[in-house]
Amino acid sequence: MTPPTHIAHYQLLELIGRDGPIETWRARDSRLQRTVAVQILRRLPDTTQEAVDRFRRQAHVASLVTHPHICAVHNWGEEDGHPYVVRELLSGRRLDELLTEGPVTVDRALELATQLTGALCAVHRRGLVHGHVRPSHV
């Protein structure tokens, strides 16, 4: 199957992650002329409507929280039967990648813990619970 080149007005440039049926692409927003991350829920033969609804709910909930250490949601939609979410494109490495290099210093661990707890406090202040806190999402 040929990878897609566009979804809506986003030019898909590079596949940067995959988590089950969700692909994350570095993309170019042709309207605002900026680089973003586009997450696409690939509809596979076994994709349920419940999975699609959960993907949309997660996008909505994520859009409710604004914090310097939480990836902002810019847009969401559906094209050719594939729901998508447009997010801020962040630079850096995920915590799981960082930890493969060995232990971090105490100062770095405290810095990361402070950032993570601040982000989770912002989520909880909105009355929400984050159900996927794991090193591959940090």
Side-chain angles (χ1 to χ4, degrees), residues 93-100 104 112 116 134-138:
R93 296 181 309 163
R94 296 186 323 253
L95 182 58
D96 62 337
E97 295 169 335
L98 178 67
L99 294 177
T100 63
V104 295
L112 293 168
L116 180 58
R134 56 184 185 233
S136 63
H137 287 169
V138 175

Side-chain angles (χ1 to χ4, degrees), residues 22 39 41 43 48-64 73 75-85 87:
I22 300 173
Q39 293 180 304
L41 176 63
R43 288 218 191 195
T48 64
Q49 185 59 45
E50 180 183 333
V52 173
D53 292 343
R54 183 173 47 252
F55 183 76
R56 288 184 183 137
R57 255 191 330 273
Q58 288 171 348
H60 172 72
V61 167
S63 75
L64 298 174
V73 173
N75 192 12
W76 69 274
E78 186 167 327
E79 177 135 329
D80 295 330
H82 298 291
Y84 64 91
V85 177
R87 295 177 176 267

Side-chain angles (χ1 to χ4, degrees), residues 16-117:
I16 57 176
R18 183 176 281 129
D19 187 8
I22 300 173
E23 293 179 349
T24 303
W25 291 80
R26 186 172 59 83
R28 185 77 178 153
D29 180 336
S30 64
R31 291 183 182 162
L32 296 176
Q33 298 299 309
R34 64 180 174 181
T35 305
V36 295
V38 176
Q39 293 180 304
I40 302 170
L41 176 63
R42 292 282 169 212
R43 288 218 191 195
L44 306 172
D46 61 344
T47 302
T48 64
Q49 185 59 45
E50 180 183 333
V52 173
D53 292 343
R54 183 173 47 252
F55 183 76
R56 288 184 183 137
R57 255 191 330 273
Q58 288 171 348
H60 172 72
V61 167
S63 75
L64 298 174
V65 182
T66 302
H67 187 272
H69 295 111
I70 295 178
C71 184
V73 173
H74 297 309
N75 192 12
W76 69 274
E78 186 167 327
E79 177 135 329
D80 295 330
H82 298 291
Y84 64 91
V85 177
V86 181
R87 295 177 176 267
E88 167 186 22
L89 180 65
L90 300 176
S91 62
R93 296 181 309 163
R94 296 186 323 253
L95 182 58
D96 62 337
E97 295 169 335
L98 178 67
L99 294 177
T100 63
E101 298 173 2
V104 295
T105 66
V106 171
D107 287 344
R108 182 68 173 138
L110 289 172
E111 178 186 357
L112 293 168
T114 300
Q115 292 173 6
L116 180 58
T117 53

Side-chain angles (χ1 to χ4, degrees), residues 8-21:
H9 59 277
Y10 303 98
Q11 178 187 9
L12 304 179
L13 303 171
E14 174 187 13
L15 181 64
I16 57 176
R18 183 176 281 129
D19 187 8

